Amino acid sequence: MKVATHTFDAVIVGGGGAGLRSAIELAQSGLKVAVLSKVFPTRSHTVSAQGGINAALGNIEPDDWKWHMYDTVVGSDFLGDQDAIEYMCKNAPQSIYELEHMGLPFSRLDNGKIYQRAFGGATREYGKEQAHRTCAAADRTGHAMLHTLYQKNIAAKTHFFNEWFAIDIVKTPAGVAGITAICIETGEIVFIKSRATILATGGAGRIYASTTNAHINTGDGFGMALRAGFPLQDMEFWQFHPTGIYGSGSLISESVRGEGGYLVNKNGERYMERYAPHLKDLSCRDIVSRCSAIEIREGRGAGPKGDYVLLKADHLGPDLIKSRLPGIRELAMTFAGVDPVKEAIPVVPTCHYLMGGIPTNYHAQVLTVNAKGEDQIVEGLYSAGEAACVSVHGANRLGANSLLDLVVFGRAAGLHVRESIDQGLHFNEASESDIEEALARVYRWNGNTKGESVEEIRTALQKAMQDDFGVFRTADAMKQGFVKLEELRDRLNYATIKDKSDCFNTARIEALELDNLMATAIATAHSANVRTESRGAHARYDYPDRDDSNWLKHTIYFDDGRIDFRSVNMKPEGMEPITLKSREEHN
Amino acid sequence: MAEEKGMHFSVYRFNPETDAKPYMQDFYVDTKEHNCNMLLDVLLVIKNKMDETLTLRRSCREGVCGSDGMNVNAKNRLACTTHLSALTEPVVIRPLPGLPVIRDLVVDMTQFYDQYNKVKPYLQNDEPAPATERLQSPEERAKLDGLYECILCACCTTSCPSFWWNPDKYLGPAALLQSYRFIADSRDTATEERLADLTDPFSLFRCRGIMNCVDACPKELNPLEAINNIKEKMLEEV
């Protein structure tokens, strides 16, 4: 197929927080930049972030970015790269002030400064008292941020391809040349040629049956990277948020606990006091989720089936709930049928966030591992936000560090692309067959006429992941899950869509998304299976302890099933490294 | 007939590639069996299990992304936050009115986004930015409540007769709400220009206070109040 070519200095795949933040940096510098998004940008999943964004502004009490860094490293269970965490925490205050200047409607303190709330894992002076470090716009911080960033892009006149879907990376023998993409409304397929390509495609929570994630979180960047021969890193680390609404999976923000709410079991016991007497309900998410899972498993869950726990907030009073947690109240009433002003909310640990992703350095440049096992920068390819693994979250992300990650590294990507283009980052010329290769899966879906539906395979995939790769893992369950996934991957080759229309064909888009979900799930399965320890969100019954002598390293997965490893960076550039310690509190 | 068991939905269908004109199609969905609570659940059951050609937008499924605005039993709402228990049968589902239909429940939102862009929906401040945040008191910040929460679902604008009559000239409730969001922001210094841009007979003044927008907003915002506040500001400025 001969397809039209559009040429840009930079193409950004994804119109969420990371993509829009990098676009601002580039559009303001006068470069020709395009954002390609499969939904209108303000429908991206950043919009669902609630609680806030961390930065050591010190608006409530004295704070220090080094304390923030310490919490992030400890929270990551030491798998986070300390040079990247240092960069993020150090640049956090500046990034927040920039957002404020762009117009983000942060909640305010009486003195007019940005309001900051308590959040999980946040401490002062290296592990002492609870810190108030989370900048918030009520409990709609992601919504406020995404809209502000989009608005700033309108002012900067960024070029948008809205409701366009990225199919694959176009690779030439010399390197990355751009992407292929399909217009959802018309079915038109184009090659977008660019010096720099930024993958800001977000997460992939839809590989699980129960998730806080939007329908659109299908790991599109992961599939694209793998098919182009680039690796994914730390794919075993999926965060299960302690408070997804029982049934619907919608998120109830950690801010409820930050504002003083807490979890109880069927006996009304505040069980986190028993597991973690110091930080209690504001322990890291992996810890709280495991405790809830144990409560449920040991028969102390609430409800007719004993399969959820309760998030209590009624003691906070209607005024606080209505002013600080209005969105939560709306969600609880709509999806759980309870008003948190009066009743506890039924919640359950729910798949929420992927710590792993496309490996990058802290300039957001994509990394691969060469034959000698050394890091190698992929010229012209970048990634930021949940799609990337910098890695600032390691084995477990702190609440309110994800909005920070996407702003800081979206910005870093923009800055670095700009610099590289100034220094002569060139176009790679793609041949017709290079482009054809990046269209292969469209031809497959168009050509298949018999076979199972997308829905059948997707549902089976989500069930396998939910059953065999959940909060707690074992070799036996994962082996079973693995067999199911391998079989599903074969079946996927023959699956078919009946809808062959070119007009707003969402069945075709869901099919293309399923390829990406499958790639992501298989990467997760391989990586989880190989890591024989428990660290952060990766918890195994058969290997219950963290094993630093063997496993203080990143898992690298390639599409052909090859597993490699990268060492964890323990060398921040402007301070002493943070040394290994146990995260569990001892009674 | 077996397929007639279940809750009755009548859905607007139109694919310009194959259909000479739009038609309504009946679906019967066993909402218990498929564990459906919300209207979006039903639409996805239809798409996933009965007819994959049914076309709609959806993303967050919790009422914050604004993708799935549609006209349900003659009222504009979000499918994902509409409880089935609140609907009478047959549930008649149509695309948002007043915008061109692309396919089935998907409308062309270009006009709506153009209106949004017209009000310059971004903070303008001609003073140099301080090294830290600009200060804003909690009272000043409170003026943005009820405005910044808009999700751009278009339920309000497409329910507005003034918009139907003058879609090219009247900005519509959603864009005007956004306009006031910046007029009301103590950090924005472009109030005068913003008001001046709205003084023609159409952009703002075609609002007739019909209040469909207030009734339609799934986030319980009040565009009419924002419009009236803009008018008051204009009087203050004169």
Side-chain angles (χ1 to χ4, degrees), chain A residues 39-40 42-43 47-48 50 57 59 94 97 100-114 137-138 140 143-144 147 150-152 154-155 163 185 206 211-216 248-251 330-331 333-335 455 458 496-499 501-507 510 513, chain B residues 15-17 38 40 44 47-49 52-67 80-83 102-103 106 108-109 112-113 116-117 121-123 125 129-139 141 144-145 148-154 178 181-182 185 187 218-219:
Chain A
V39 292
F40 182 76
T42 64
R43 327 254 180 245
V47 83
S48 289
Q50 297 169 357
L57 304 185
N59 285 358
Q94 182 57 31
Y97 296 139
E100 197 282 328
H101 297 157
M102 288 178 199
L104 202 155
F106 284 111
S107 300
R108 299 289 171 154
L109 296 163
D110 285 341
N111 64 9
K113 292 187 172 184
I114 293 169
R140 304 188 181 95
H143 171 279
H147 281 252
Y150 180 64
Q151 290 162 349
K152 191 72 185 168
I154 296 175
E163 297 187 325
E185 185 181 334
R206 286 280 156 178
T211 175
T212 64
N213 283 198
H215 286 284
I216 57 172
S248 84
S250 283
L251 175 67
E330 194 183 316
L331 281 171
M333 296 201 296
T334 307
F335 291 100
E455 164 67 8
R458 186 174 54 202
T496 187
I497 44 172
K498 293 189 196 87
D499 189 347
S501 168
D502 277 332
C503 178
F504 218 98
N505 187 337
T506 53
E510 288 183 33
E513 288 174 336
Chain B
N15 179 350
E17 282 183 358
M38 301 294 173
L40 180 64
L44 295 183
K47 183 165 182 68
N48 289 331
K49 316 252 184 219
E52 73 174 28
T53 67
L54 177 68
T55 301
L56 66 148
R57 293 187 176 103
R58 86 287 180 265
S59 178
C60 76
R61 60 82 168 91
E62 57 191 22
V64 290
C65 79
S67 296
C80 63
T81 55
T82 297
H83 279 279
I102 296 174
R103 179 175 173 181
V106 173
D108 182 347
M109 308 265 286
F112 177 78
Y113 296 137
Y116 177 69
N117 289 348
Y122 40 83
L123 192 85
N125 188 315
T132 62
E133 68 265 62
R134 289 197 164 94
L135 299 181
Q136 184 172 50
S137 70
E139 295 72 30
R141 168 59 183 75
L144 308 183
D145 286 335
Y148 82 97
E149 301 94 323
C150 171
I151 58 174
L152 300 177
C153 64
Q178 286 296 323
R181 177 249 173 276
F182 289 99
D185 196 321
R187 301 168 297 170
K219 305 306 282 184

